[in-house]
Amino acid sequence: MNKKTVRDIDPAGKRVLVRVDFNVPLHNGMVSDDSRIRASLPTIQYLIDHKARVILCSHLGRPKGKPTPSLSLGPVVARLSELLNRPVRLVSDCVGRAAARIVGTMAPGEVVLLENLRFHPGEEANDPTFAQQLASLADLFVNDAFGSAHRAHASTVGVARCLPAVAGLLMERELDVLGRVLTNPARPFLAILGGAKVSDKIGVVKSLLGRADGLLVGGGMANTFLKAGGKAMGQSLVDEDKLDVARELLLKARDKLLLPQDLVVAEGSDARAARRVVGVDDVPPGWKALDIGPKTVASFRARLRGAGTVVWNGPMGVFEMAPFAEGTLAIARALAELPGATTIVGGGDTIAAVKQAGVEARITHISTGGGACLEFLEGKQLPGVEALLDR
Ligand code: ADP
Ligand code: MG
């Protein structure tokens, strides 16, 4: 990686502003999945061990520039404090006199968390005054929020213009692992794409078609390709706006694209709807394709065998409902069983499916960045990364 990291600075005694990604799911006022908090621990612990004054900041949800009690980082600070096994104070406003006063009293090795950055409109607007106010709390800036690096906000880009800015250890790992996929992947390099948001992902399809040795397509994404190839898809989720692009990609890269041969179709969208497995030529009118079928699973598994690198984004079906989860879970298990391959999974729903399959620990890298991961794999420069000091 060509960016400086926390290991390239001497944080001892310094006030270090650390942008983390604590945008975690909350349920009944508790953190329901603390993966993102855990992912930031190595950087925080590194700074504690090196006697920095650690000032953490993050966004949570979309409060639209106004203080919103339900989106307070209170539940996060409680969980973080448990995980670090030390008290962590929540600073009730991320900028202003009270924040400056509290930071002024911090001892080396102490950790505080600033309240939700998006309580201020200046965060998402990347307002230079707001960025300057944030930066004034610290001597150094560490960005460990890979998941927010595709956004040019005050806490990702603005502060990096005011302070010496380096990558945290999580950011470094994401950039290393994903960077290798773009520059020098172990081959055969295969990508698996699915999910619902075809428009968001068509850029990734294009980019990966150029780089990968094969592209396995399932989920709503496959419906769009199948329809573009002339199949009748009934009432299936299809991105009509992307049929032309899909047709063009089919013409250009037919040999690299592996599409479903069979599908689990249902008469309605709920778990009790009548369902059956059909070939891709036989989707009944009015029915919906909600999962890939067993022949497709077998052909995807066969194609994956011997892979050097596999990148997966997007479930193969509506895995939230048990009758349509098998394709997605089978692919998760197939990835976990690839000996010696580098396997990389990104996307909130895809990660949830990997956890549901219970194979999380057998995946090489679970990316913490959904949109950021996709934009990176698309070959785009991420503004939050660009803003960091070059090595
Ligand atoms: P990720 O969060 O991993 O990036 P997406 O958000 O793009 O993935 O897609 C996940 C959603 O796609 C899931 O809610 C899943 O139910 C839905 N999905 C997958 N296949 C289908 C399908 N055939 N029809 C409708 N929805 C689908
Ligand atoms: Mg999603």
Side-chain angles (χ1 to χ4, degrees), residues 24-35 37 75-76 79 355:
V24 295
L26 297 178
H27 192 69
N28 293 332
M30 304 266 283
V31 175
S32 57
D33 180 344
D34 63 7
S35 311
I37 305 178
V76 173
R79 185 71 190 117
K355 289 181 180 170

Side-chain angles (χ1 to χ4, degrees), residues 194-197 201 219-220 223 237 289-291 313-320 346-351 374:
K197 299 181 235 163
K201 296 183 180 180
N223 295 344
L237 175 74
L290 296 180
D291 195 8
N313 173 282
M316 298 289 100
V318 183
F319 73 102
E320 296 93 336
D349 293 292
T350 316
I351 294 168
L374 289 174

Side-chain angles (χ1 to χ4, degrees), residues 110-133:
E110 198 176 323
V111 183
V112 300
L113 172 61
L114 305 179
E115 185 55 284
N116 197 339
L117 292 160
R118 289 193 187 168
F119 286 179
H120 288 266
E123 163 61 357
E124 290 185 80
N126 191 11
D127 171 33
T129 309
F130 177 71
Q132 183 55 55
Q133 282 179 306

Side-chain angles (χ1 to χ4, degrees), residues 209 225 228-229 244-257:
L209 266 177
F225 275 95
D244 286 344
V245 194
R247 215 168 280 129
E248 185 191 311
L249 293 173
L250 280 173
L251 283 174
K252 256 200 334 228
R254 192 69 197 88
D255 51 325
K256 275 194 190 176
L257 275 167

